[in-house]
Amino acid sequence: MTTGAVLTAAGSGSRLAAGIPKALVLLDGAALVLHAARRLRLAGVVEIVVSAPADHSASVLDLLSADSVLREARITVVEGGASRQASVAAALAALPAAVDVVLVHDAARALAPVSLIQRVEAAVRSGHDAVVPGLPVTDTVKRVAAANADGAELVRATPDRSTLRAVQTPQGFARDLLDRAHAAGAERAASEASAATDDAALVEALDRPVWVVQGDVAALKITTAQDLLVAELMLREEAR
Ligand code: C5P
C-alpha cells in the first residue's frame, strides 16, 4: 500500500499578477509549491509528482530537492498541460505503479494542513474510492444565464444552500478509479473551457460515488494578492 501525490503547479497565476507562475510566489520566504509539498511529506506521503510550467521544471525540481523536509520524499517533476486536468493527467502517468491511493493537490492550496491531508487519505483507505474535502457554503449562490448586452445576468435559480459544499484539495482516490476517470474524460483536457475543474467531476461522470469529508479553512485557494495576505496571517497564527 503506497500513497502518492499529484501536485499541480503549472498554472500561470495571472490573477496574482506577480509576473511569475503562482506556485513559485513566495509566502514567508518559501514558494507555494514548497509549502504544499512539505505538508504532503509531513502527512506521510513519499511519492510526489509535481506538474510545473515547462520553462520552470528544472527550477521547481531544484527547489524541492534542496529542501530538508523533503529529504526522504521521491520527487518527480513533469511538464504541465493546457488545463489543470491535463496537468493532473501528465503527473498521474508518472506515478510509480506501486501507488494504489492518489491524493491530487493544488500548490495554490499551499497551507492545507497535515490533518486534512491525513483525513482524506484515511477516508480512501477505509473504502471510499473518491473523497473530497468540503466546507458548507456561507454565501447564497445563484445560477445565472449568459450575460445581457449591458452585462447584466438573469438569475435562473437559487440552489438550497444547505445542500452545497465548497470543495478543496487534496482530493483522494483509489488509483485505478482515478486512472479510469482521466482516461474516460481525456478529450475534455485540451482547454480550460472544456476541462473538468476538479478530479472528482471526472469520477462523477463515470457514475461512481464521490464522498465529502470535512474541509479546512486553512486550505484556502490562493488566487489573488488578497488571498496571499490572508495566507500570511494564517501562517503566522499557525506558528504561535
Ligand atoms: O488557476 P487555478 O488557481 O484554478 O489553478 C489551480 C491549480 O491548478 C494550481 O495549483 C495551478 O498551478 C494548477 N494548474 C496546472 N496546470 C494548468 C492550470 C492550473 O497545474 N494548466
Side-chain angles (χ1 to χ4, degrees):
M1 294 195 316
T2 306
T3 298
V6 160
L7 183 56
T8 69
S12 65
S14 49
R15 284 164 295 184
L16 205 49
I20 52 169
K22 178 162 68 180
L24 295 176
V25 168
L26 297 183
L27 173 60
D28 193 30
L32 296 183
V33 65
L34 179 55
H35 281 285
R38 279 178 179 161
R39 283 155 191 257
L40 286 166
R41 178 66 201 104
L42 292 170
V45 180
V46 172
E47 300 288 351
I48 303 175
V49 182
V50 183
S51 52
D55 46 349
H56 290 85
S57 298
S59 56
V60 168
L61 184 60
D62 288 349
L63 175 76
L64 300 180
S65 304
D67 190 66
S68 61
V69 176
L70 296 173
R71 213 177 26 240
E72 275 156 32
R74 265 190 296 278
I75 309 278
T76 308
V77 177
V78 300
E79 234 177 75
S83 65
R84 179 188 178 279
Q85 183 187 332
S87 296
V88 173
L92 197 51
L95 270 179
V99 169
D100 64 339
V101 167
V102 184
L103 300 175
V104 184
H105 192 29
D106 290 342
R109 297 190 189 269
L111 300 188
V114 169
S115 58
L116 174 68
I117 298 167
Q118 290 177 332
R119 179 153 69 243
V120 171
E121 184 195 7
V124 180
R125 291 259 169 236
S126 75
H128 298 91
D129 281 352
V131 175
V132 301
L135 291 173
V137 171
T138 52
D139 289 320
T140 294
V141 176
K142 305 284 186 194
R143 186 187 306 282
V144 295
N148 232 333
D150 66 1
E153 298 170 314
L154 182 67
V155 171
R156 293 284 195 206
T158 306
D160 173 4
R161 190 169 68 182
S162 69
T163 67
L164 300 175
R165 298 291 175 266
V167 306
Q168 305 177 316
T169 70
Q171 300 189 346
F173 304 91
R175 168 79 177 274
D176 56 343
L177 177 59
L178 186 60
D179 281 344
R180 264 188 290 130
H182 269 272
E187 79 287 355
R188 296 178 58 183
S191 82
E192 212 63 86
S194 56
T197 51
D198 77 347
D199 301 278
L202 296 172
V203 171
E204 292 160 46
L206 293 182
D207 261 338
R208 293 290 305 269
V210 173
W211 301 92
V212 180
V213 297
Q214 181 69 39
D216 194 307
V217 285
L220 86 157
K221 184 166 163 192
I222 301 169
T223 303
T224 63
Q226 193 184 10
D227 298 332
L228 202 56
L229 289 174
V230 172
E232 265 163 32
L233 284 175
M234 283 180 160
L235 205 51
R236 237 178 277 165
E237 205 46 41
E238 204 181 79
R240 288 206 316 173

